[in-house]
Coordinates of all heavy atoms in Angstrom, one line a residue:
V24 N 87.9 -63.2 93.3 CA 86.9 -63.2 92.3 C 85.8 -64.3 92.4 O 84.6 -64.0 92.3 CB 87.6 -63.2 90.9 CG1 86.5 -63.4 89.8 CG2 88.3 -61.9 90.6
P25 N 86.2 -65.5 92.6 CA 85.1 -66.6 92.6 C 84.4 -66.8 94.0 O 83.5 -67.7 94.0 CB 85.9 -67.8 92.2 CG 87.3 -67.6 92.7 CD 87.5 -66.1 92.7
N26 N 84.8 -66.1 95.0 CA 84.4 -66.6 96.3 C 83.7 -65.5 97.2 O 84.2 -65.2 98.3 CB 85.5 -67.2 97.1 CG 86.1 -68.4 96.4 OD1 85.3 -69.4 96.1 ND2 87.4 -68.5 96.2
N27 N 82.7 -64.9 96.7 CA 81.9 -63.9 97.5 C 80.7 -64.5 98.1 O 79.9 -65.1 97.4 CB 81.6 -62.7 96.5 CG 82.8 -62.0 96.0 OD1 83.5 -61.4 96.8 ND2 83.0 -62.1 94.7
A28 N 80.6 -64.4 99.4 CA 79.6 -65.2 100.2 C 78.4 -64.3 100.5 O 78.5 -63.1 100.9 CB 80.2 -65.6 101.5
M29 N 77.2 -64.8 100.3 CA 76.0 -64.1 100.5 C 75.6 -64.1 102.0 O 75.8 -65.0 102.7 CB 74.8 -64.8 99.7 CG 75.0 -64.6 98.2 SD 73.5 -65.2 97.3 CE 73.6 -67.0 97.6
R30 N 75.1 -62.9 102.4 CA 74.7 -62.7 103.8 C 73.6 -63.6 104.2 O 73.3 -63.7 105.5 CB 74.3 -61.2 104.0 CG 74.0 -60.9 105.4 CD 75.2 -60.8 106.3 NE 74.8 -60.5 107.7 CZ 75.6 -60.6 108.7 NH1 76.9 -60.8 108.5 NH2 75.2 -60.3 109.9
Q31 N 72.9 -64.3 103.3 CA 71.9 -65.2 103.7 C 72.3 -66.3 104.8 O 71.5 -66.8 105.5 CB 71.3 -66.0 102.5 CG 70.1 -66.8 102.7 CD 68.9 -65.9 103.2 OE1 68.7 -64.8 102.7 NE2 68.1 -66.4 104.1
T32 N 73.6 -66.5 104.8 CA 74.2 -67.3 105.9 C 73.7 -67.0 107.2 O 73.5 -67.8 108.1 CB 75.7 -67.2 105.8 OG1 76.2 -67.7 104.6 CG2 76.4 -68.0 107.0
R33 N 73.5 -65.7 107.5 CA 73.2 -65.2 108.9 C 71.8 -64.5 109.0 O 71.6 -63.6 109.8 CB 74.3 -64.2 109.3 CG 75.5 -65.0 109.9 CD 76.7 -64.1 109.9 NE 77.8 -64.6 109.1 CZ 78.5 -65.7 109.4 NH1 78.4 -66.3 110.5 NH2 79.4 -66.2 108.5
V34 N 70.9 -64.9 108.1 CA 69.6 -64.3 108.1 C 68.5 -65.4 108.4 O 68.6 -66.5 107.9 CB 69.3 -63.6 106.8 CG1 67.8 -63.1 106.7 CG2 70.2 -62.4 106.6
G35 N 67.5 -65.0 109.2 CA 66.4 -66.0 109.4 C 66.8 -67.1 110.4 O 67.7 -66.9 111.2
M36 N 66.3 -68.3 110.2 CA 66.7 -69.4 111.1 C 68.0 -69.9 110.5 O 68.1 -70.3 109.4 CB 65.6 -70.5 111.0 CG 65.7 -71.5 112.1 SD 65.4 -70.8 113.8 CE 63.6 -70.6 113.7
L37 N 69.0 -69.9 111.4 CA 70.4 -70.2 110.9 C 70.6 -71.7 110.9 O 70.1 -72.5 111.7 CB 71.4 -69.5 111.8 CG 71.2 -68.0 112.0 CD1 72.4 -67.4 112.7 CD2 71.0 -67.3 110.6
S38 N 71.5 -72.1 110.0 CA 71.9 -73.5 109.8 C 73.3 -73.8 110.2 O 74.0 -72.9 110.7 CB 71.7 -73.8 108.3 OG 72.8 -73.2 107.5
H39 N 73.7 -75.0 110.0 CA 75.1 -75.4 110.3 C 76.1 -74.5 109.6 O 77.2 -74.2 110.1 CB 75.4 -76.8 109.8 CG 74.8 -77.9 110.6 ND1 74.7 -79.2 110.2 CD2 74.3 -77.9 111.9 CE1 74.1 -79.9 111.2 NE2 73.9 -79.2 112.2
W40 N 75.7 -74.0 108.4 CA 76.7 -73.2 107.6 C 77.1 -72.0 108.3 O 78.2 -71.5 107.9 CB 76.1 -72.9 106.2 CG 77.1 -72.4 105.3 CD1 77.2 -71.1 104.8 CD2 78.2 -73.1 104.7 NE1 78.3 -71.0 103.9 CE2 78.9 -72.2 103.8 CE3 78.6 -74.4 104.8 CZ2 80.0 -72.6 103.1 CZ3 79.7 -74.8 104.0 CH2 80.4 -73.9 103.2
K41 N 76.4 -71.4 109.2 CA 76.8 -70.2 109.9 C 78.2 -70.4 110.5 O 79.0 -69.5 110.4 CB 75.8 -69.9 111.1 CG 76.1 -68.6 111.8 CD 76.9 -68.8 113.1 CE 76.0 -69.5 114.2 NZ 76.8 -69.6 115.4
G42 N 78.5 -71.6 111.0 CA 79.8 -71.8 111.6 C 80.8 -72.4 110.6 O 82.0 -72.7 111.0
C43 N 80.4 -72.5 109.4 CA 81.3 -73.1 108.4 C 81.8 -72.1 107.3 O 82.7 -72.4 106.5 CB 80.6 -74.3 107.7 SG 80.0 -75.6 108.8
A44 N 81.1 -71.0 107.2 CA 81.3 -70.1 106.1 C 82.8 -69.6 106.0 O 83.3 -69.5 104.8 CB 80.4 -68.9 106.2
F45 N 83.4 -69.2 107.1 CA 84.8 -68.8 106.9 C 85.7 -69.9 106.7 O 86.7 -69.8 106.0 CB 85.2 -68.0 108.2 CG 86.5 -67.1 107.9 CD1 86.4 -65.8 107.8 CD2 87.7 -67.7 107.7 CE1 87.5 -65.0 107.5 CE2 88.8 -67.0 107.4 CZ 88.7 -65.6 107.3
A46 N 85.4 -71.1 107.2 CA 86.2 -72.3 107.0 C 86.2 -72.5 105.5 O 87.2 -73.0 104.9 CB 85.6 -73.5 107.7
N47 N 85.1 -72.2 104.8 CA 85.1 -72.4 103.3 C 86.1 -71.4 102.7 O 86.8 -71.7 101.7 CB 83.7 -72.2 102.8 CG 83.6 -72.5 101.3 OD1 83.9 -73.6 100.9 ND2 83.1 -71.5 100.5
A48 N 86.1 -70.1 103.2 CA 87.1 -69.1 102.8 C 88.5 -69.6 103.0 O 89.4 -69.4 102.1 CB 86.8 -67.8 103.5
S49 N 88.8 -70.3 104.1 CA 90.1 -70.8 104.4 C 90.5 -71.9 103.4 O 91.6 -71.9 102.9 CB 90.1 -71.4 105.8 OG 90.0 -70.4 106.8
R50 N 89.5 -72.8 103.1 CA 89.8 -73.8 102.1 C 90.1 -73.2 100.7 O 91.1 -73.5 100.1 CB 88.6 -74.7 101.9 CG 88.7 -75.8 100.9 CD 87.4 -76.5 100.7 NE 86.4 -75.7 100.1 CZ 85.2 -76.1 99.6 NH1 84.9 -77.4 99.8 NH2 84.4 -75.3 99.1
N51 N 89.4 -72.2 100.3 CA 89.6 -71.5 99.1 C 90.9 -70.7 99.1 O 91.6 -70.6 98.0 CB 88.5 -70.5 98.8 CG 87.1 -71.3 98.6 OD1 87.1 -72.4 98.2 ND2 86.0 -70.6 98.9
A52 N 91.3 -70.2 100.2 CA 92.6 -69.5 100.3 C 93.8 -70.4 100.1 O 94.7 -70.0 99.3 CB 92.7 -68.9 101.7
L53 N 93.7 -71.6 100.6 CA 94.8 -72.6 100.4 C 94.9 -72.9 98.9 O 96.0 -73.0 98.3 CB 94.6 -73.8 101.2 CG 95.3 -73.9 102.6 CD1 96.8 -73.9 102.4 CD2 95.0 -72.8 103.5
F54 N 93.7 -73.1 98.3 CA 93.7 -73.5 96.9 C 94.3 -72.4 96.0 O 95.1 -72.7 95.1 CB 92.2 -73.8 96.5 CG 92.0 -74.4 95.1 CD1 92.6 -75.6 94.8 CD2 91.3 -73.7 94.2 CE1 92.4 -76.1 93.5 CE2 91.1 -74.2 92.9 CZ 91.7 -75.4 92.6
A55 N 93.9 -71.2 96.3 CA 94.4 -70.0 95.5 C 95.9 -69.9 95.7 O 96.6 -69.6 94.7 CB 93.6 -68.8 95.9
A56 N 96.4 -69.9 97.0 CA 97.8 -69.7 97.2 C 98.6 -70.8 96.6 O 99.7 -70.5 96.0 CB 98.0 -69.7 98.7

């Protein structure tokens, strides 16, 4: 419910976050579990 990621991560000139977005999902997964 709280962790839906916007596709802006991979649009236009890409930033560091492109390689970090799923890592954030992993962090949230541990917290939820």
Side-chain angles (χ1 to χ4, degrees):
V24 168
N26 297 308
N27 296 295
M29 292 187 290
R30 182 70 184 174
Q31 190 60 37
T32 294
R33 277 161 245 283
V34 175
M36 198 65 72
L37 304 190
S38 70
H39 285 166
W40 190 249
K41 183 264 287 182
C43 304
F45 199 107
N47 189 55
S49 295
R50 180 186 67 173
N51 296 333
L53 264 295
F54 187 61

